[in-house]
Amino acid sequence: MGFVNGIRPCPHETITTGDTTTPNPAHHIWVRQDQLLLNAILGSISPSIIPSCDAWTALANIYAKPSRGHIMHLKGVLTNINKENPEDLTVKILIGMSDEFRDISSAVRARDSPISFEELHEKL
C-alpha cells in the first residue's frame, strides 16, 4: 500500500559515498515493483464496471498519479530511446492493442527484459 499512497517513496538512483557514486540497487527494485503494481491496478480495472465518469475520474486521480521518482525514471528512459529499434516497435504495438489483448500487454510490460518482436508476434 505504501507504493499507492506515497508512504514508500522511490529511493535515489545513486548512492554517493565520499567521492564514489554507484547505482542504488534499491532504486531498481522499487521502480520494478512500482511498475508491477501499477500494471496490476490498471489491468484489473475496467471502465465497463465503473458506474459513472466521476467514479472513474476519482480512481484515476488516486491510482494513476505517478510519483516523482516514476516521472524521473520515465524521462530518463525517453532520453535514451533509439529510433527504429525492436523495443520501439514493441511499444507501438502495445499502444495499439485493443482490450482483448490486455493480459498479454500487461505481461509484456511487466517483464524484466525486453521481449523480442518474434516472441511478441508468437504470443499474439
Side-chain angles (χ1 to χ4, degrees), residues 41-50 56 99 102:
I41 290 168
L42 294 177
S44 66
I45 298 174
S46 171
S48 64
I49 64 169
I50 304 299
W56 182 251
D99 283 344
R102 182 176 48 192

Side-chain angles (χ1 to χ4, degrees), residues 37-79:
L37 289 169
L38 178 63
N39 283 330
I41 290 168
L42 294 177
S44 66
I45 298 174
S46 171
S48 64
I49 64 169
I50 304 299
S52 73
C53 181
D54 293 336
W56 182 251
T57 302
L59 286 172
N61 287 335
I62 292 169
Y63 295 112
K65 285 187 178 178
S67 66
R68 181 71 189 135
H70 185 80
I71 291 169
M72 290 176 66
H73 171 72
L74 288 176
K75 285 184 179 183
V77 169
L78 289 173
T79 301

Side-chain angles (χ1 to χ4, degrees), residues 70-106:
H70 185 80
I71 291 169
M72 290 176 66
H73 171 72
L74 288 176
K75 285 184 179 183
V77 169
L78 289 173
T79 301
N80 295 322
I81 286 180
N82 295 325
K83 293 181 180 177
E84 302 300 325
N85 68 28
E87 194 168 357
D88 290 342
L89 179 59
T90 300
V91 169
K92 289 178 184 178
I93 292 169
L94 293 176
I95 289 170
M97 286 183 175
S98 63
D99 283 344
E100 66 185 293
F101 295 102
R102 182 176 48 192
D103 293 340
I104 294 172
S105 177
S106 294

